[in-house]
Amino acid sequence: MIYFITIHHETGKFFNLQAKYIRTFTTKEYKIYCGMSGITTVDAQQHNIEFHNIINLTDVKNQHWFRMNYLFKALQEHETLQPDDMIVFIDGDAFPIDSWEQKISSYLQTYPIAAIQRRENPEPLLREEQKRYPHPCFFATTVKFWVENKLEWRLDPFQGAHTAGVLIKMWLDEQKLESRPLLRTNAFNIHPLYFGIYDDIIYHHGAGNRIVYDSVDIWTRKGLNPGVDLDLRYPLIPEFNKKLSDLVYNQILEDDKYIKIFFGGRE
């Protein structure tokens, strides 16, 4: 069994997209545990949700890492989990765009975790040993590994950037273990971080439910004397990114082949 854990916050526009692509490219039996917050029941119904288990997170601490742990605990309470079941933590705006199970399963034969690494995103507030961490936008492991090692998502209050995945990376290093990185394989980019294809199998739209703005938008513009408040001083940057995001999103809705052809350079 494959268990997906995902969160949709403030917008339901990725509900059907994610559900459709998971259904299209997943052959084994699976269930999706979906956390929902900031979305009305009426709005959710309009998006014709296809998920199996929808959990209202409105009254749960509004931290992505905390809510992922909350959903996994709900999964444990409601399912009879087997050690070799696969767990996939996946962002609400991420989904497979090709057959993915065999490749990820083969990785998990050698590595305890297979996860996206966004090496294209400069994060200078992190120390070098904290970088190249497994990113929760797509993170696959087994029930056995996650439970036996009592893993969970947490933030290090002392790290320079509060980023989920860093502490897991540090723990892996201590155990002399590695995760299998899924790296960006775009043939074409209209943004250095968003609209990314990873290992030819996973698409991550990026900032699908928040301000369309990330580390790469800050630290690559050195001539602007960048800082974390660049979006406040130059709001045209996230505003333009939002227009770009909406344009790509609408094109994905119109054409099932758009992601693979336009960004992947293949059919």
Side-chain angles (χ1 to χ4, degrees), residues 5-21:
I5 293 176
T6 190
I7 297 172
H8 290 257
H9 178 66
E10 295 297 337
T11 177
K13 70 179 188 178
F14 282 94
F15 274 136
N16 276 0
L17 263 183
Q18 187 181 57
K20 181 181 78 171
Y21 278 87

Side-chain angles (χ1 to χ4, degrees), residues 7-8 20 27 38 42 65 80 99 106 110 123 125 142 167 178 197-199 248-249:
I7 297 172
H8 290 257
K20 181 181 78 171
T27 59
V42 173
W65 62 272
T80 304
S99 299
S106 68
T110 306
E123 295 180 284
L125 297 181
T142 62
L167 288 181
E178 296 181 23
I197 296 173
Y198 294 87
D199 212 338
V248 171
Y249 171 80

Side-chain angles (χ1 to χ4, degrees), residues 12 26 82 92 101 113 124 128 130 147 168 174 176-178 181 195 197 202-203 207-208 214 223 225 234 250 258:
T26 306
Q82 301 301 316
E101 296 155 278
I113 293 166
E128 283 304 312
Q130 295 175 319
V147 173
I168 290 178
E174 291 174 0
K176 301 188 184 309
L177 297 171
E178 296 181 23
F195 326 123
I197 296 173
I202 305 298
Y203 174 76
D214 226 298
N225 187 26
Y234 299 100
N250 289 327
Y258 170 69

